[in-house]
Structure formats: C-alpha cells, structure tokens
Amino acid sequence: MGQVYHSRTTMKRELEEKIKNVGDYVKMDLLSSALKIQIDIETKKYCLAKLTEIYEARRMFSEAARMIKNAAELNSTYEGKMNDFMKSCTLFIKGGSFDDGDVSFTKALGCATDLQKGRLKSARKEAYKAQAKEYVAKERRSHALVAYQKLLTFDLTPEEKREIQGTLLTLYERLGKVQDFYALKASMR
C-alpha cells in the first residue's frame, strides 16, 4: 500500500517537473497523454485543472469547459461539483456553445441548495449578458442575436427585458430580419 501511494505522488511530481519549463502546447500534449493512461484521481484532477488553466489562457473556452466539466465529475463534494459545473457553464457560454453550457448549468443546479440556485441563475444570466455585449462590440451580430434571444427566456426584471428587447430590435434591423423586427415590436406594446 505504501508503495502504491509513493508511485501516485511520484507520478504527479514527475508531471509537474516535466511541464515546468516547456511551452503551452507541449504542456497540453503531456497532460492529455497522462489522462489517457491509468492514473489516480488526484493526478487526474491536477491534469484537468492545469489543462483548463492553459486552454482558458489561450482563449480555447470550449476545450477549457470540457476539462473542468470532467473534473467536476471527479469531485467528491456537492459544493465542488456545483462550482466546477458552473465554471464549465460560464466557459461554454464564452466559447459560444450555449447548449453545452445549459447542460453544465443543469448539473450545477442539481448539486446546489435552494439558496445557491438563485445565485447560479444570476451568474448564468450575467455570463450571457457579458458574452452578448462582447459579440456586439466585435460586430458579430448574428451570434449576439442568439445570445440575446436566449437571455429573453430567462427570469428578467422589466428593465432588463426592455433593454434586451431594444437591443434585439437593433440587431433585427441591422441583420435585415424584418418579420422578427415587427413581431417583437408588436409584442412590446
């Protein structure tokens, strides 16, 4: 038993040493390779956390989200699972993978208490708002349109709803979606 423990900590230490002085792509390769072999849970969590960190820094948000989602599955506490699934949700939203984000959000809600659910819903709403605004700023109107349409399905205050509808009207107009423009305008009355 003592030797098994020794080899597990050695494996993690070896990985840490190997990735210490190499570039991100070599780190990604080494860590991904380590995940493919039989390793203990702690080393697997370490690899997934490092990969998440690297992918996020490289703005590879969907890949980072997949890694943290896998780490959430390994987590032993509901609190840890909830936080990892929510981080995964946020990263999927940043990556534009809204459906995958919704799956992670649902899993985060499943691990949350009633008090935490409101906070999670608010965090998801803010993540969508931030991403939609980023799309608008980068002139990615069709992506922004999808994000704002998704936002409109959430629990919103009347002010938030008016603001989002106003932005949607502008996007419909700029994208030439005349029917959608007039349908939304009629529903706002």
Side-chain angles (χ1 to χ4, degrees), residues 56-152:
E56 191 173 1
R58 291 231 163 245
R59 301 187 59 76
M60 299 167 72
F61 296 120
S62 292
E63 284 301 315
R66 275 188 256 297
M67 293 300 123
I68 197 76
K69 184 179 172 190
N70 291 340
E73 299 289 350
L74 298 174
N75 228 315
S76 58
T77 65
Y78 283 116
E79 182 84 19
K81 283 181 184 280
M82 179 195 68
N83 290 334
D84 286 350
F85 280 129
M86 200 57 209
K87 172 104 173 157
S88 169
C89 171
T90 305
L91 289 170
F92 274 129
I93 292 168
K94 279 185 176 181
S97 302
F98 298 144
D99 292 337
D100 291 329
D102 288 344
V103 170
S104 288
F105 177 72
T106 303
K107 289 184 176 188
L109 276 184
C111 299
T113 64
D114 289 336
L115 291 171
Q116 295 167 326
K117 287 180 183 182
R119 184 176 52 87
L120 294 180
K121 288 177 183 176
S122 177
R124 178 177 69 152
K125 182 169 57 172
E126 292 307 314
Y128 269 101
K129 280 182 182 178
Q131 190 57 42
K133 286 177 183 174
E134 185 177 320
Y135 283 146
V136 169
K138 290 182 176 180
E139 296 292 319
R140 297 180 71 190
R141 293 183 193 108
S142 60
H143 287 58
L145 180 70
V146 173
Y148 278 116
Q149 286 173 331
K150 185 80 172 167
L151 259 171
L152 210 51

